[in-house]
Amino acid sequence: MKGVLSDLIYESCQEMMKEITNVEKTKEGKIKGKKAKDLTIKEWKTNKGIVEEEIDKEEIDKEEIDKEEIDKERFTKDQIKNLLEVPSNQIYGDYSLPCFYFTKIFKMAPKLIAEVIKEKIKMMDTEGILKNLEVVNGFLNLYLNKENHIKKLLFEGRKEDFGCGKAGLAQTVCIDYSSPNIAKNFHVGHLRTTLIGNSLYHIYKKLGYQVIRINHLGDWGTQFGKLIVAYQKWSNKEAVEEKGIEELLRIYIKFSKESEQNLELEEEARSWFVKMEQGEKEALTIWKWFKEISMIEFERIYDLLGVSFDYYTGESFYMDKVPDLVRELMEKHLLSESEGAKIVDLNQFDMPPCMIIKKDGSSIYHSRDLAAVLYRKKQYQFDKCIYVTGQEQKLHFEQVFKVIELMGYEWSQNLIHVPYGLVRLQGVKLSSRTGNIVYAEDILTEAIKRALELIHQKNPNLDQPKEVARKIGIGAIIFHDLFHQRMKDVDFSWEDVLSFEGTTGPYVQYTYARAKSILKKAENKPKIDEVDVSLLSDVTTYSLLKIISEYKESIYEAANRFEPSVIARYTILLSTAFNKFYHECNILNADENLRDARLIVVDLTQEITKDAMGLLGIECPEEM
């Protein structure tokens, strides 16, 4: 509903802009001795015509202004939407617009601005969305036509995909996420990119986009030269086959420590990586073996999370495409040499150079990412390509996107980096080099274990307890991560992650199970067109319905901001409102007409709760 109201207010402001521009263009900015900002609402209406007569026609021609551009500079629909408040007391309306924000734009008193917007909305609200509008000081209070609103809501709520499945039709979005490094354990830091990316996939798919899910595996680079050296010096085939990634991580950490004292180890590692790039058989055989071992663990974790990908095209996939990139950069006179390396100079953009080929002739992640961008555009013809990585890679993607722009590709503006904050352990950044790691699989299995213990305590007769525990435990981990705004750093602690109290996934899942239980007891589901919606106008029910009506807009907001936390926080608002409704409104024992009306609300709530949690990648058990 906020979206509909912000559209009305925006159009009203557009009309005001035309009129205020005319006022400003009168000689000396005065009408009958008064400045525009001092006009009363009555004078505004009556003098509007006089203003238009007194405009200097030559001045208009000389100072013709693009109204649309002015509007974009001064305010947007999203800004207006964010300004709309929900009053704590409904006597002040369903929504309230503080008009103080507009004083700099219109150079008028807030109360007058509110009065003018009120008059404009009255003329534009042809569908009867609003029952009343009131100006209180500098606030415009908006009262919805409850019956019309509820009818529309119940109808919209039963549409396929809640009426939001056409926004992305005929558009393709590529999402690059997860991308763990081969031969390293999947730790809690990798969970963030995986969960954010997976949620964005569900959100964009809900909006009708064709979504290409890409796992850009970290399966190439100098680190594999390090690992080969470490394997040959401090491990063997039997140890790796027995312990898998655990053994690979052990020797990788040992290499990092030993190379601090012995610099020749680094040179030896670089030499092995050059052999890999040149296709040397022994180097590639060991590398492929490490990759196979790693993929077994990754797939196990993805299965636990319910995450899948369309393509596992890691850095190695783009190796044979780097030479074409280098040729194109040379043809476009973008490549230069610096200390034996080939670079694209970005000094004029206040960025360090983007290295393409190292002095030893090997590629680097910049060149492989550039080759990947060009391949994806050619292969998928994407409208957007989204990269979900830590904010520490901000500069890297700025360089990559700038090089694509310098190559003459206008679609560079459709390359989007979606950064997120770091995961820290007791205030220290996670690092496989130092061994400061919490493994993802450990967290997930521990969460499932704790969920199962709670089930045995609270509902020992529950059917399929292990399956329910999996949904609750995994859901708790996902929700904890996605409830935080993605740019905030997360300081990992077992207590916070595995808590089942407060603003948590299990709380939302329990709300869903409660709603399903009510419907199961009711047996017969009433039909919407047979329900008397006037019975749903009490404060508690209507408050819940207003939150339900915001679901569609929450999906759009989450997509526009690349922010799954919008959906997570919405589910908490919805669950809280529903539980209040459950406690304050008799449902199953009410008289038949009221019972049927309230059952429709219960049914709509459970549908949206399940759908919203699905956008986060969380399953909801039918019973808990």
Side-chain angles (χ1 to χ4, degrees):
M1 183 51 65
K2 269 190 176 182
V4 175
L5 294 177
S6 61
D7 286 347
L8 274 174
I9 295 166
Y10 181 79
E11 293 304 321
S12 300
C13 290
Q14 291 278 64
E15 289 297 311
M16 285 181 68
M17 278 301 302
K18 294 175 185 176
E19 294 168 8
I20 199 68
T21 302
N22 291 339
V23 171
E24 289 174 345
K25 286 182 177 178
T26 59
K27 293 178 181 179
E28 300 178 356
K30 293 184 179 181
I31 305 171
K32 293 186 177 180
K34 284 194 175 183
K35 293 182 179 178
K37 66 184 181 68
D38 296 323
L39 290 172
T40 65
I41 184 66
K42 185 176 180 182
E43 289 170 327
W44 175 274
K45 291 178 184 175
T46 57
N47 285 309
K48 191 173 71 172
I50 298 173
V51 172
E52 292 172 347
E53 290 174 9
E54 293 184 1
I55 295 173
D56 187 326
K57 301 297 182 184
E58 291 181 9
E59 191 175 352
I60 288 180
D61 295 335
K62 193 166 55 179
E63 298 183 13
E64 189 62 34
I65 298 172
D66 184 342
K67 301 290 194 304
E68 187 175 346
E69 193 164 323
I70 286 180
D71 295 336
K72 286 179 180 176
E73 289 176 358
R74 297 194 180 185
F75 56 83
T76 65
K77 289 181 182 180
D78 283 340
Q79 286 174 318
I80 292 171
K81 183 178 174 183
N82 291 334
L83 280 174
L84 280 171
E85 301 172 351
V86 178
S88 56
N89 192 325
Q90 287 195 4
I91 66 170
Y92 298 114
D94 295 293
Y95 295 94
S96 183
L97 178 72
C99 294
F100 309 98
Y101 172 82
F102 298 104
T103 53
K104 288 184 180 179
I105 299 172
F106 297 118
K107 299 177 183 178
M108 295 161 59
K111 186 176 181 181
L112 177 56
I113 295 170
E115 291 282 7
V116 177
I117 293 176
K118 172 184 173 181
E119 295 300 318
K120 298 292 182 191
I121 289 177
K122 279 184 176 180
M123 290 187 289
M124 294 180 178
D125 183 19
T126 55
E127 294 183 18
I129 296 169
L130 294 164
K131 185 176 182 180
N132 191 25
L133 298 97
E134 288 184 358
V135 174
V136 179
N137 297 321
F139 290 85
L140 176 59
N141 296 334
L142 303 101
Y143 298 80
L144 295 173
N145 184 324
K146 288 186 179 180
E147 195 164 325
N148 285 358
H149 182 214
I150 294 170
K151 281 181 181 177
K152 185 175 181 181
L153 167 63
L154 296 179
F155 175 74
E156 291 285 339
R158 285 299 182 272
K159 281 187 177 180
E160 186 179 357
D161 288 326
F162 303 97
C164 59
K166 294 184 178 180
L169 286 182
Q171 295 184 66
T172 299
V173 174
C174 289
I175 307 181
D176 177 327
Y177 61 105
S178 193
S179 311
N181 292 320
I182 294 299
K184 294 183 184 178
N185 287 83
F186 199 108
H187 62 65
V188 68
H190 294 126
L191 276 179
R192 292 218 79 190
T193 169
T194 305
L195 301 180
I196 292 169
N198 187 55
S199 181
L200 291 177
Y201 155 68
H202 287 295
I203 289 167
Y204 275 95
K205 185 180 178 184
K206 169 66 87 178
L207 292 174
Y209 289 85
Q210 179 186 5
V211 187
I212 309 294
R213 299 166 291 178
I214 301 170
N215 195 329
H216 189 75
L217 294 168
D219 64 353
W220 204 254
T222 309
Q223 69 268 29
F224 292 100
K226 296 177 182 180
L227 204 55
I228 292 173
V229 172
Y231 168 70
Q232 292 179 330
K233 289 184 178 294
W234 305 302
S235 189
N236 54 63
K237 185 177 180 181
E238 290 74 21
V240 172
E241 287 182 342
E242 180 185 349
K243 298 179 180 178
I245 285 185
E246 181 185 344
E247 174 66 6
L248 296 178
L249 184 62
R250 181 190 72 79
I251 61 176
Y252 183 80
I253 293 171
K254 184 172 179 62
F255 179 95
S256 297
K257 291 177 179 177
E258 293 288 335
S259 62
E260 291 175 3
Q261 307 299 323
N262 183 359
L263 299 180
E264 290 182 2
L265 288 173
E266 291 283 356
E267 189 59 40
E268 197 175 341
R270 280 191 286 271
S271 175
W272 272 103
F273 178 56
V274 171
K275 290 179 181 179
M276 285 172 58
E277 293 226 307
Q278 293 173 345
E280 203 271 338
K281 185 176 180 181
E282 182 185 6
L284 289 181
T285 299
I286 298 173
W287 165 75
K288 287 178 181 177
W289 180 42
F290 290 165
K291 184 174 178 179
E292 288 168 2
I293 290 170
S294 302
M295 287 305 301
I296 292 170
E297 176 174 326
F298 296 162
E299 287 290 359
R300 189 168 64 246
I301 293 166
Y302 291 141
D303 286 344
L304 272 174
L305 292 170
V307 171
S308 57
F309 297 89
D310 298 302
Y311 300 98
Y312 286 91
T313 45
E315 292 184 77
S316 63
F317 178 81
Y318 303 101
M319 273 309 304
D320 61 355
K321 297 161 184 60
V322 171
D324 288 340
L325 165 71
V326 173
R327 277 192 293 272
E328 185 174 352
L329 289 171
M330 290 180 68
E331 290 169 2
K332 293 180 176 178
H333 308 291
L334 293 172
L335 212 57
S336 57
E337 192 166 308
S338 175
E339 300 179 5
K342 288 181 168 50
I343 65 164
V344 176
D345 187 359
L346 300 176
N347 185 56
Q348 63 177 309
F349 306 105
D350 296 321
M351 282 187 262
C354 181
M355 187 180 291
I356 304 299
I357 298 294
K358 292 188 283 187
K359 63 181 180 181
D360 61 9
S362 62
S363 65
I364 192 170
Y365 51 90
H366 286 99
S367 49
R368 296 190 288 270
D369 271 348
L370 284 164
V373 172
L374 296 173
Y375 172 83
R376 291 169 185 173
K377 183 62 179 177
K378 182 179 179 181
Q379 187 73 12
Y380 309 122
Q381 290 298 309
F382 60 73
D383 296 280
K384 289 179 187 173
C385 189
I386 298 169
Y387 295 80
V388 184
T389 74
Q391 61 180 329
E392 69 272 17
Q393 294 192 45
K394 181 175 181 287
L395 175 60
H396 167 73
F397 283 105
E398 285 177 349
Q399 291 175 301
V400 170
F401 298 168
K402 179 56 70 175
V403 172
I404 292 293
E405 179 187 337
L406 293 174
M407 292 174 76
Y409 295 113
E410 293 181 0
W411 47 264
S412 63
Q413 63 186 345
N414 299 324
L415 302 174
I416 301 159
H417 180 217
V418 175
Y420 54 84
L422 297 172
V423 179
R424 300 179 182 275
L425 179 61
Q426 297 176 337
V428 180
K429 179 184 175 182
L430 297 176
S431 171
S432 56
R433 291 186 181 90
T434 62
N436 189 47
I437 305 170
V438 176
Y439 298 134
E441 191 168 15
D442 291 343
I443 299 170
L444 298 173
T445 53
E446 180 67 19
I448 294 170
K449 176 186 170 186
R450 293 195 184 194
L452 189 58
E453 288 172 356
L454 278 173
I455 288 171
H456 288 324
Q457 291 171 20
K458 296 185 176 182
N459 192 359
N461 298 319
L462 182 69
D463 289 339
Q464 298 182 307
K466 289 184 179 179
E467 177 63 13
V468 173
R470 182 190 65 80
K471 291 178 181 179
I472 294 173
I474 299 298
I477 300 297
I478 295 174
F479 196 91
H480 175 269
D481 190 290
L482 298 183
F483 185 77
H484 292 91
Q485 293 183 16
R486 59 178 167 78
M487 284 305 296
K488 290 188 176 181
D489 288 353
V490 176
D491 199 354
F492 178 85
S493 75
W494 284 102
E495 291 74 22
D496 290 342
V497 171
L498 297 178
S499 171
F500 292 90
E501 304 295 329
T503 53
T504 65
Y507 171 69
V508 179
Q509 289 171 317
Y510 181 74
T511 301
Y512 170 78
R514 168 176 276 172
K516 292 297 288 185
S517 175
I518 294 168
L519 294 172
K520 186 177 180 180
K521 290 175 183 176
E523 295 182 356
N524 296 321
K525 188 188 295 186
K527 295 180 180 178
I528 295 175
D529 53 7
E530 296 175 357
V531 166
D532 182 357
V533 297
S534 67
L535 299 173
L536 300 174
S537 59
D538 63 275
V539 173
T540 302
T541 306
Y542 190 57
S543 295
L544 170 59
L545 287 169
K546 279 203 294 183
I547 292 173
I548 288 174
S549 73
E550 300 294 340
Y551 180 48
K552 180 178 175 181
E553 290 169 21
S554 295
I555 299 173
Y556 283 115
E557 183 182 349
N560 291 335
R561 291 172 50 197
F562 311 104
E563 186 61 86
S565 70
V566 172
I567 302 297
R569 290 166 187 264
Y570 172 84
T571 63
I572 292 294
L573 286 175
L574 180 62
S575 297
T576 303
F578 176 78
N579 286 316
K580 184 178 181 183
F581 165 77
Y582 171 81
H583 289 296
E584 295 183 5
C585 301
N586 193 328
I587 300 170
L588 294 176
N589 294 322
D591 69 70
E592 186 176 355
N593 290 338
L594 183 57
R595 172 183 177 275
D596 288 350
R598 287 177 174 169
L599 283 172
I600 288 292
V601 176
V602 174
D603 191 37
L604 192 53
T605 300
Q606 65 85 17
E607 274 192 34
I608 290 178
T609 301
K610 183 178 181 179
D611 195 76
M613 292 291 269
L615 295 184
L616 301 175
I618 298 173
E619 297 177 82
C620 288
E622 301 283 304
E623 293 182 74
M624 285 177 68

